[in-house]
Amino acid sequence: MSSPFSPREWLQLNMQQQGLLQPQASVSELISRLGYVQIDSINVVERAHHHVLHSRMPQYQAQMLDTALAQGEIFEYWSHAAAYLPIADYRFSLQRKQLLQNGGKHWFEPDDKVMLEVCARIRAEGPLKASDFEHTEGKNGAWWDWKPAKKALEQLFMRGELMVVRREKFQKCYDLTERVLPSHINTQAPSESEFARHLIERYLDAHAFGSAAQIAYLRKGIKAHVSEQLAAMQSQGELASFKAEGQWYFYRPELHITAAMPNRVWLLNPFDNLLIQRQRLKQWFDFDYQIEVYVPAEKRQYGYYSLAILWRDRFVGRVDVKAERQSGLLLLQQLTLETGFDGMDDGFCAAFEAAVTEYARFNGCSRWKLVKANHKAFKQKYARQQKI
């Protein structure tokens, strides 16, 4: 089947469904639209989950996420990684939880005795963090050498017996699921076909179109069920498809462009939902992006925490950032513009300045400074300035 949209229109639809082209109304609605927001602990700048939301909600403040969690509109659990998820999707977390309850292994062997003790304390005292449990068996080592109570808390959380009610200085605060989960939430575990259909619907909500492999991304043993559901949904007229570069893509027939493309620059987080699938990004946006947080320092090309620079529907570079919060200065440690991109277009410069200034404010910084750039004219324009 032929594609009903041009390649650039598909990019616009992808960005539209990602909530980038129009300001989004609330945290819970935005997370429902995206399907998940990945949680990450790195804090050289504001943490990833807050940045993803801020990119789509200019008025976003961190307490909005805390409020949505406290009000039971979202919950923490595992998607392809640790994430905030819509509370309406709670039942789709039950497959993993039941697998662990039935003997499946998480990161370490469960200690039933410690888990019973931990649950008893939380039942008696209310929500607790790992640091609320005394540890007397030697010194803590690396992250996998957690003290027994912390291991038990994480195992109970992954099994579904505990939920996160809030975070305090990024530490999870746990309570019994029976005291946290809203009473109206469906707690019936889905079948494999229901789960596959859920993945399809959430992916198309967030990305407009996708292949079976993209929809099943980092999900073990589900791709065959996804392919089967895609075929069934297409035969019933719920989905249409087109082929690009030898790959079949699926979309809803009623899909259409509703938002114009603004003359804007977005600085997107390494864990942003638009960036997370590298091959899709490379194929459709012609942008080969890798998170270099986990790359040895001597092998990094663009910097430890490089944000992707999206101008209109084109990725034009990366900028490595660090917030010096005490001095209120956001450092643009390394700006790398794509080969062939001039960068001195007045429209881009103005949009880039606006994006960086807003990102600095988001990080609690009143100024920003360009330290290094691969574009000589751009460096001359900004290197000696600390923008307010």
Side-chain angles (χ1 to χ4, degrees):
M1 298 180 186
S2 62
S3 169
F5 300 104
S6 69
R8 289 197 70 175
E9 286 174 329
W10 281 120
L11 301 188
Q12 187 169 348
L13 285 162
N14 196 169
M15 292 173 64
Q16 170 185 294
Q17 295 306 112
Q18 277 287 298
L20 289 167
L21 302 188
Q22 291 178 316
Q24 301 300 295
S26 73
V27 166
S28 59
E29 289 176 11
L30 178 51
I31 292 177
S32 290
R33 183 187 193 107
L34 295 175
Y36 73 93
V37 169
Q38 184 170 337
I39 301 169
D40 194 75
S41 61
I42 299 167
N43 66 343
V44 293
V45 284
E46 184 60 87
R47 288 189 171 97
H49 40 285
H50 294 306
H51 186 191
V52 169
L53 295 169
H54 177 261
S55 295
R56 294 154 174 83
M57 291 180 64
Q59 78 281 17
Y60 174 78
Q61 296 179 0
Q63 62 265 31
M64 293 179 179
L65 186 63
D66 299 335
T67 299
L69 184 65
Q71 292 179 345
E73 298 169 352
I74 59 175
F75 73 108
E76 277 198 39
Y77 197 62
W78 197 263
S79 179
H80 71 275
Y84 290 106
L85 301 160
I87 194 65
D89 291 355
Y90 178 82
R91 66 184 294 246
F92 297 101
S93 71
L94 294 175
Q95 283 184 322
R96 183 187 293 268
K97 291 171 180 174
Q98 290 181 351
L99 181 66
L100 293 171
Q101 290 168 11
N102 294 329
K105 187 177 179 180
H106 185 39
W107 290 331
F108 31 69
E109 293 294 337
D111 187 323
D112 293 333
K113 180 177 180 293
V114 177
M115 286 194 292
L116 285 171
E117 293 170 352
V118 163
C119 273
R121 270 200 64 185
I122 291 176
R123 184 175 297 279
E125 300 176 32
L128 295 173
K129 309 182 296 296
S131 59
D132 294 320
F133 292 83
E134 184 180 2
H135 178 56
T136 58
E137 297 180 12
K139 296 180 179 179
N140 289 331
W143 69 270
W144 59 84
D145 188 25
W146 287 354
K147 59 186 180 182
K150 188 168 185 177
K151 291 181 180 179
L153 286 166
E154 189 64 18
Q155 189 75 18
L156 290 163
F157 167 71
M158 291 300 297
R159 281 169 43 160
E161 294 171 57
L162 298 180
M163 291 181 72
V164 175
V165 290
R166 62 181 177 273
R167 283 184 179 248
E168 297 177 4
K169 296 182 179 179
F170 204 65
Q171 283 193 65
K172 295 176 185 175
C173 193
Y174 303 89
D175 200 358
L176 303 176
T177 295
E178 64 199 59
R179 298 200 296 222
V180 179
L181 188 66
S183 60
H184 66 278
I185 296 301
N186 186 344
T187 56
Q188 182 177 356
S191 65
E192 293 286 4
S193 60
E194 285 178 316
F195 186 65
R197 185 183 180 95
H198 165 72
L199 292 179
I200 292 166
E201 290 176 343
R202 279 300 188 199
Y203 195 89
L204 297 184
D205 285 344
H207 293 282
F209 63 99
S211 67
Q214 290 166 355
I215 293 166
Y217 178 67
L218 296 183
R219 304 274 189 172
K220 292 182 180 179
I222 195 66
K223 186 178 177 182
H225 294 286
V226 167
S227 297
E228 183 179 312
Q229 279 298 305
L230 286 168
M233 293 171 76
Q234 183 167 9
S235 69
Q236 294 162 9
E238 295 178 73
L239 298 180
S241 64
F242 68 96
K243 200 170 189 178
E245 298 187 15
Q247 179 68 62
W248 284 103
Y249 289 88
F250 298 83
Y251 64 97
R252 294 189 176 101
E254 64 271 19
L255 182 69
H256 63 284
I257 294 173
T258 61
M261 181 65 65
N263 184 27
R264 178 181 169 183
V265 165
W266 291 266
L267 303 177
L268 297 183
N269 191 273
F271 300 95
D272 194 277
N273 299 52
L274 187 64
L275 305 182
I276 206 68
Q277 291 192 23
R278 184 179 181 184
Q279 290 305 314
R280 177 185 172 102
L281 191 69
K282 187 174 181 180
Q283 178 183 348
W284 286 96
F285 286 90
D286 192 26
F287 187 59
D288 190 8
Y289 178 82
Q290 180 182 13
I291 300 169
E292 292 192 329
V293 164
Y294 312 110
V295 175
E298 65 276 8
K299 295 184 179 181
R300 291 181 194 135
Q301 290 181 272
Y302 305 108
Y304 176 76
Y305 206 77
S306 289
L307 310 182
I309 305 171
L310 176 61
W311 184 35
R312 300 173 182 152
D313 60 358
R314 179 184 176 188
F315 284 95
V316 298
R318 303 158 176 82
V319 59
D320 183 33
V321 289
K322 181 179 180 180
E324 293 188 343
R325 295 176 177 91
Q326 288 188 338
S327 63
L329 178 63
L330 176 73
L331 294 176
L332 308 186
Q333 300 192 112
Q334 180 178 332
L335 172 66
T336 309
L337 298 179
E338 291 287 274
T339 302
F341 178 67
D342 180 10
M344 295 311 294
D345 181 286
D346 287 340
F348 173 73
C349 287
F352 178 77
E353 285 187 35
V356 173
T357 299
E358 177 55 35
Y359 183 69
R361 287 176 183 153
F362 169 63
N363 278 278
C365 297
S366 58
R367 300 167 297 141
W368 58 269
K369 180 180 180 181
L370 178 62
V371 178
K372 180 181 177 182
N374 72 331
H375 192 291
K376 185 176 180 180
F378 211 81
K379 185 175 181 179
Q380 289 174 342
K381 181 178 177 65
Y382 293 114
R384 296 182 180 179
Q385 301 180 47
Q386 290 188 4
K387 290 287 181 177
I388 303 300

